[in-house]
Amino acid sequence: EVGERGSEFVAVPLHNANLAAGMGAGNEQETTVARLAFRRDWLTGLGVAPSAARLARVLGDSMLPTLQPDDMVLIDTNRHHPPAKPRRPNDGRPSPIFALRHDDGAVVKRLERISDDSLMLLSDNPAYPPQMRTISELTKIIGKVVWWGHTVRD
């Protein structure tokens, strides 16, 4: 059986929650609508504990071209702390993507530490400006996005 201890597959819950890539999504009644099977060893290779894996869908276009509307994201809920220090000026890697809640609702954004108490929420789409937030303004960091996929539609 998928998801049982010792099984090579884990049944990861897909929540009916939308993570806005733009303005926040409300998600007042978040429930599990399905479960998708992922290989246990693949999750472990990503450093994701099977019990901490969650799936949600992306809503909006602020994370284009990386994340498209209706993409599914895999979130590691054990990794719910923002980057610990500001990035070095010569660090060319993209900032990590997180699912989080703040006053505008649930969003998916890149997080970059600016100072001890400030973070920058970054969109990949240049039409959306960066947003400065203090740590206290973030209601909750749900977790780090570690994988995403989308369906090609003609």
Side-chain angles (χ1 to χ4, degrees):
E1 179 75 27
V2 172
E4 287 186 11
R5 230 202 230 297
S7 169
E8 68 180 290
F9 291 95
V10 174
V12 176
L14 171 62
H15 293 269
N16 71 342
N18 288 312
L19 299 170
M23 298 304 292
N27 300 318
E28 284 78 18
Q29 299 199 358
E30 180 183 326
T31 59
T32 299
V33 294
R35 294 184 181 271
L36 278 73
F38 285 81
R39 287 186 57 89
R40 184 178 302 275
D41 59 348
W42 182 78
L43 287 171
T44 303
L46 288 176
V48 179
S51 62
R54 300 290 182 276
L55 293 163
R57 294 227 179 250
V58 174
L59 177 70
D61 65 353
S62 77
M63 291 301 289
L64 285 172
T66 307
L67 299 175
Q68 299 177 22
D70 208 35
D71 276 1
M72 187 177 304
V73 293
L74 176 64
I75 303 162
D76 182 351
T77 61
N78 280 344
R79 295 192 224 170
H80 50 84
H81 297 289
K85 58 186 176 182
R87 295 163 58 88
R88 294 186 177 135
N90 62 347
D91 188 346
R93 295 173 298 165
S95 300
I97 300 174
F98 283 86
L100 54 112
R101 287 190 190 100
H102 61 78
D103 292 340
D104 295 335
V107 297
V108 59
K109 297 288 181 194
R110 293 189 186 276
L111 288 185
E112 199 168 293
R113 172 78 65 169
I114 302 303
S115 67
D116 286 346
D117 65 343
S118 298
L119 294 169
M120 189 74 71
L121 280 62
L122 303 168
S123 299
D124 286 359
N125 185 338
Y128 292 82
Q131 302 170 29
M132 181 79 80
R133 295 283 191 268
T134 63
I135 300 288
S136 62
E137 289 176 310
L138 298 178
T139 307
K140 178 182 180 184
I141 296 178
I142 299 165
K144 184 177 181 183
V145 174
V146 296
W147 173 89
W148 55 86
H150 64 267
T151 302
V152 177
R153 294 186 171 91
D154 293 328

